[in-house]
């Protein structure tokens, strides 16, 4: 979809059919600087192309260093200046998403007004280019670190902290803590960046909130290889040409081993290309607990023990740059969100 990227922050703005830019709060892209006019410019889709028009601003609008007058056609890679201080580059010039105005919920940057639609049921905030929202690298997080995850399920949207606390109306959400439910209008801060969760409104009244759709299921392209080496085991995740390995794991390895055993069929063939096949693989938590701790041990553990182990395993994977939310947890059941042919179990 068509979008702009801020040259200052790296934030991305998805373009609607008509996108307004200015200092006033009602704009689609709000640039809170005195050198930007209240209603500065308009980007619009017309006659099969994107056009930029200055809206009578005081300090002007420029494309690749040249101030424009009237409408100016946009090409991918062009640099746009709204006044002297705000520079954005055109990432692509695809046609606008006709559902962008009312379909999925979205995150909005409270600093720049940039919009991030939540088209899928998992949305990762981090410092890596592959993350759905890439934030500037800070001292507390290295490049490629996962900071937080939004997950859409059971008719709602939830926020989980991964590395460092996430601050919001609830106080501080710490890594390993319970997911926080997000309501429309909820503002929160991740790594010093202020974001707001926004849900779509109905076109009829402009005020009635729609129920948040579940979103397209995120597909994980990893290959998971589990090698049992006695009382411990090695966990290996293959992501394209990159191989990440965690040797000599115990409970975390056993959790993945048990969940892999619950996939519908044995995993031995190479990863197939194309859309994912329908898959189940859910295992009741009582069965997972019995497999990990035995029937007697499972009867003595806290109800929080298995969720804590799942969180710790995701955290281990996240430290290596792997999105561990392919370990999926819902009420009373757990699974691997992988196809059977993406998982291999070995014994030495």
């Amino acid at each position: 979809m068509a979008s702009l990227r801020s040259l200052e922050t790296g934030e991305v703005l998805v373009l609607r059919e008509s996108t307004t830019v200015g200092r006033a709060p009602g704009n689609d892209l709000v640039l809170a600087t005195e050198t930007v006019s209240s209603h500065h410019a308009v980007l619009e889709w017309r006659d099969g192309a994107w056009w930029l028009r200055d809206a009578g601003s005081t300090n002007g609008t420029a494309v690749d260093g040249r101030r424009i007058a009237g409408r100016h056609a946009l090409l991918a890679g062009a640099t746009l200046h709204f006044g002297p201080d705000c520079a954005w580059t055109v990432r692509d010039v695809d046609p606008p998403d006709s559902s962008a105005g009312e379909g999925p919920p979205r995150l909005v940057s409270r600093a720049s007004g940039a919009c991030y639609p939540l088209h899928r049921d998992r949305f990762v905030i981090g410092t890596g280019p592959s993350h759905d929202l890439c934030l500037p690298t800070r001292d507390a997080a290295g490049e490629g670190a996962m900071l937080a995850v939004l997950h859409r399920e059971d008719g709602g949207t939830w926020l989980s902290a991964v590395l460092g606390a996430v601050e919001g109306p609830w106080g501080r959400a710490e890594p390993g803590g319970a997911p926080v439910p997000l309501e429309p209008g909820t503002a929160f801060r991740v790594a010093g960046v202020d974001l707001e969760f926004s849900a779509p409104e109905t076109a009829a009244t402009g005020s009635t909130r729609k129920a948040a759709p579940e979103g397209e299921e995120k597909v994980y392209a990893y290959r998971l290889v589990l090698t049992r080496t006695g009382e411990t085991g090695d966990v290996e995740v293959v992501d394209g040409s990159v191989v990440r390995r965690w040797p000599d794991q115990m409970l975390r390895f056993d959790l993945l081993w048990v969940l892999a055993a619950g996939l519908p069929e044995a995993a031995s063939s190479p990863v197939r290309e194309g859309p994912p096949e329908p898959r189940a693989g859910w295992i009741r938590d009582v069965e997972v607990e019995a497999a990990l701790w035995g029937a007697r041990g499972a009867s003595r553990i806290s109800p929080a023990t298995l969720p804590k182990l799942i969180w710790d395993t995701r955290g281990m994977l996240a430290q290596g740059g792997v999105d561990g939310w392919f370990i999926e947890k819902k009420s009373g059941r757990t699974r691997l969100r992988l196809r059977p042919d993406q998982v291999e179990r070995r014994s030495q």
Side-chain angles (χ1 to χ4, degrees), residues 157-173:
T157 302
W158 305 78
L159 173 67
S160 295
V162 178
L163 179 62
V166 177
E167 300 174 356
W170 53 81
R172 290 169 60 88

Side-chain angles (χ1 to χ4, degrees), residues 181-202:
L182 293 179
E183 297 294 335
T186 300
F188 58 94
R189 173 173 288 190
V190 180
V193 177
D194 291 316
L195 301 167
E196 181 176 321
F197 176 70
S198 173
E201 299 176 345
T202 60

Side-chain angles (χ1 to χ4, degrees), residues 3 35 42 49 69 78 83 88 99 108 117 125 138 152 163 176 185 198 214 229 250 293 297 315 332 340:
S3 61
T35 58
V42 178
W88 294 68
S99 65
V108 179
I125 302 172
R138 298 180 180 271
R152 299 164 59 194
L163 179 62
S198 173
E214 291 297 315
T229 57
M250 298 184 71
W293 292 286

Side-chain angles (χ1 to χ4, degrees), residues 106-194:
R106 51 192 178 267
L107 289 182
V108 179
S109 167
R110 304 191 81 186
S112 68
C115 174
Y116 311 92
L118 276 63
H119 290 292
R120 298 185 298 181
D121 64 348
R122 298 288 187 272
F123 185 95
V124 177
I125 302 172
T127 61
S130 64
H131 295 146
D132 299 298
L133 171 52
C134 178
L135 300 180
T137 303
R138 298 180 180 271
D139 293 340
E143 185 176 355
M146 292 176 59
L147 302 175
V149 174
L150 281 77
H151 32 109
R152 299 164 59 194
E153 54 192 40
D154 298 330
T157 302
W158 305 78
L159 173 67
S160 295
V162 178
L163 179 62
V166 177
E167 300 174 356
W170 53 81
R172 290 169 60 88
E174 300 285 351
V180 177
L182 293 179
E183 297 294 335
T186 300
F188 58 94
R189 173 173 288 190
V190 180
V193 177
D194 291 316

Side-chain angles (χ1 to χ4, degrees), residues 67-89:
R67 188 162 174 168
I68 65 170
R71 289 198 304 161
H72 187 94
L74 293 182
L75 300 176
T79 299
L80 314 183
H81 276 87
F82 304 107
D85 302 320
C86 298
W88 294 68
T89 184

Side-chain angles (χ1 to χ4, degrees), residues 246-287:
W246 295 265
D248 301 324
Q249 298 297 315
M250 298 184 71
L251 272 176
R252 296 168 183 172
F253 173 88
D254 290 339
L255 170 68
L256 294 170
W257 184 273
V258 169
L259 296 177
L263 291 173
E265 60 188 47
S268 58
S269 58
V271 177
R272 292 190 294 269
E273 296 182 354
E277 297 177 353
R279 52 189 178 272
W282 290 107
I283 305 179
R284 292 190 305 153
D285 287 352
V286 292
E287 296 175 0

